Every structure is written in structure tokens, then in C-alpha cells.
Amino acid sequence: MSGYEAELLVHRREFVADGVLALSLSHPLGEELPSWEPGAHIDVLLGPDLERQYSLCGDPADRRTWRIGVLREPEGRGGSAYVHEELREGDKVRVRGPRNNFALRPAPRYRFIAGGIGITPILPMLAAAEAAGAEWSLLYGGRTRDSMAFTGDLGAYGDRVTIAPQDETGLLDLGSVLDDVPQGTLVYCCGPGPLLDAVEERCPGGLLHVERFRPKEQETGPDGEFEVVLERTGKTLTVPVGVSVLDTVRAAGVEVLYSCTEGTCGTCETDVLEGTPDHRDSVLSDAEREAGDTMLICVSRCRGRRLVLDL
């Protein structure tokens, strides 16, 4: 993960769909920004206890500009309202990153599926797949055509892109994309939870890569008290019932990077040296969970009595 953190300038602000605002961010002194690859996101620090993650949806080759798309969520927790109502061209906003938990792996063929604002991390993936000469298609759904962002950008790709507004075509026809997937094809999907759940039910895990904006609902065992040893700082702490590892570590005066506190952004991912994590995040793959080498300490706990972490 990049350790970059800076105040960037909002140099362009434009609506790209009903309720979707695109911001272009640049360094006030014109300095180059850190490089990034498709699937990356940044943390936007909007104020005390108001920090949100947004996917980069511009051109990775443009080292002067980061572009994000922000959906106005009336029932949200205040982040999107702040962006839409408070940030103006010429304002500065603090950002951190970029970080990538949704990287595009090389493949000869791709099937992309996006729902609503989930198009944002997919956009640069399409350009990368095109540049690599891969075969690909995109199925893109939303509530209405006017609510679907960046459709103008997608027009250049012709019939490889299927735009499917729900009020015109109904629910996405996932079978058209996921039935008879050729060998060597990777599937990338981003969007609301019900869409991701439906795709996961139909697609083998080894082919599928998803990114969630909200925590995945999952069954967990009862919380229990356990011990966590911080190898590098030499501290041994007790994690009580109902208190996260992250909060316990911070209360002991150990500073760690964190952001969403929901297990969706990956900021607090920490190496596990001993013990078995009880994974409760929405980021790690099944293989990563099975390996048990890392955990997201904002939500995950311990399957046992003791964890040793590289902190």
C-alpha cells in the first residue's frame, strides 16, 4: 500500500448521471501523483470521523489527475452528502492511498459485470483489457438509464458493452454472461450486495473477483475473549468480548492505519505470525482466509485463545 497522504485540489466537478458526481483531483503545485492500477481506490478524509473510500476511475497513465465518482446516498452516513453539498472546484481535500484489493489479473478473456456506482473500478479495467488485446464483454445494470454513470465513456466500445437499465429490461440476465464461461476467462464484478451474492452463487470462486462497498452478511460464531501478542512492540493485550482487535491495539497506544472499520477497504490488513484468525471481512479471498497469513483487525477475531500479530 502507498503511504502517500496529501491535500489535493478539486480542479473539476461534474455530474455524470443523476445523483453521481465525478471529481477530478490534482496536486495544488502540479506534482505527479502516485501511480496506480485498475481496481485501486483512495481514502478521502472529509473530516473528523468522516472518511470514505472511492475507486479511481480515470486513466492510470495520467499522473497529474485522480478521478473518482461519488453516488449521492440519501440514506448514507454523511460522506456522499458532504462531497455533493460541500466540495466545490478550488477546494482542497485530504486523501490517502492508493490501495488495491481488486487488481486485474492477466487473462486472455474477461467477463465484467457492474451494478450502479460499481462501474467506477471497472472503467479502467476495460481500457487495460483492451490495451492487452484480451477478449472481453461488460454487462452494466442500474435503476434507470439516467442514473447510470459514464455511459458516454462506454459508447466507444460498441456491442461489447450491454447497458441494461432495470426499468427497461428487468433484472440483469446473469446467465447470458456466466453460463458456459470459456476456460481461461476471469469474471470481475462490482456493485450492490444482492448482485454480488447472485453472481457468487453462479460463478466458481477461482474465476470470480468481486469488490464490495458494504460488508457481506455472513454467519459468525460467538465472540470470545482472547489474547493478542504484538510481536514488534512487545505488548500482550486482552481483546474483550464486543471490542475489536483494532480498538484494543489503539487503546494500548499502538498506531495502525485503518479506515472503514467494516472490513471492506483492507487498510488495516495485518500479518498473522501465530494463531488462527476468525475472518469476518469482505476483502480476503477464500484462499487467503484458508492460509491465515493475514487478517483485517477491524472486524476479524481469533479461533482460539491467542494470536501473534506483526505489530
Side-chain angles (χ1 to χ4, degrees), residues 133-298:
E135 297 177 21
W136 64 268
S137 65
L138 167 66
L139 178 62
Y140 177 24
R143 291 181 293 102
T144 66
R145 192 174 294 271
D146 288 343
S147 74
M148 298 172 68
F150 304 113
T151 52
D153 298 48
L154 297 171
Y157 294 123
D159 60 7
R160 282 174 292 179
V161 174
T162 300
I163 305 292
Q166 186 173 348
D167 65 339
E168 298 177 22
T169 64
L171 295 176
L172 288 180
D173 180 8
L174 297 179
S176 66
V177 177
L178 299 177
D179 291 348
D180 302 319
V181 177
Q183 187 174 3
T185 304
L186 294 182
V187 179
Y188 279 79
C189 181
C190 186
L195 171 62
L196 299 185
D197 293 342
V199 171
E200 287 181 336
E201 288 179 4
R202 302 185 67 131
C203 189
L207 303 179
L208 178 61
H209 301 266
V210 303
E211 182 168 61
R212 293 180 177 269
F213 295 136
R214 296 287 182 270
K216 181 180 180 179
E217 291 187 10
Q218 49 192 311
E219 294 184 6
T220 60
D223 286 359
E225 184 178 282
F226 60 95
E227 184 180 82
V228 60
V229 178
L230 309 185
E231 181 73 13
R232 282 191 279 124
T233 52
K235 294 188 176 187
T236 298
L237 309 173
T238 298
V239 181
V241 174
V243 179
S244 70
V245 177
L246 173 64
D247 287 344
T248 302
V249 168
R250 295 184 68 237
V254 178
E255 288 301 315
V256 293
L257 283 178
Y258 69 98
S259 184
C260 73
T261 69
E262 295 180 326
T264 59
C265 75
T267 307
C268 68
E269 185 174 354
T270 301
D271 288 342
V272 177
L273 304 179
E274 293 181 29
T276 304
D278 178 8
H279 295 292
R280 303 184 181 188
D281 65 274
S282 302
V283 173
L284 298 180
S285 67
D286 289 343
E288 289 169 329
R289 289 176 173 232
E290 182 67 25
D293 296 331
T294 67
M295 65 183 289
L296 271 64
I297 61 173
C298 66

Side-chain angles (χ1 to χ4, degrees), residues 97-143:
R99 182 183 314 106
N100 200 336
N101 301 310
F102 193 43
L104 185 68
R105 291 169 44 194
R109 285 173 293 278
Y110 298 98
R111 302 273 174 93
F112 297 104
I113 304 170
I117 198 63
I119 190 62
T120 49
I122 299 294
L123 273 179
M125 292 186 178
L126 304 182
E130 183 79 355
E135 297 177 21
W136 64 268
S137 65
L138 167 66
L139 178 62
Y140 177 24
R143 291 181 293 102

Side-chain angles (χ1 to χ4, degrees), residues 57-125:
C57 58
D59 180 2
D62 181 0
R63 295 291 301 276
R64 303 288 179 181
T65 305
W66 281 349
R67 193 185 195 201
I68 59 174
V70 182
L71 171 67
R72 178 70 160 90
E73 299 183 89
E75 306 302 320
R77 296 175 296 159
S80 68
Y82 184 94
V83 171
H84 278 246
E85 297 170 11
E86 303 295 334
L87 286 184
R88 295 291 181 264
E89 291 183 2
D91 288 346
K92 293 179 181 178
V93 63
R94 194 154 196 85
V95 303
R96 184 172 59 223
R99 182 183 314 106
N100 200 336
N101 301 310
F102 193 43
L104 185 68
R105 291 169 44 194
R109 285 173 293 278
Y110 298 98
R111 302 273 174 93
F112 297 104
I113 304 170
I117 198 63
I119 190 62
T120 49
I122 299 294
L123 273 179
M125 292 186 178

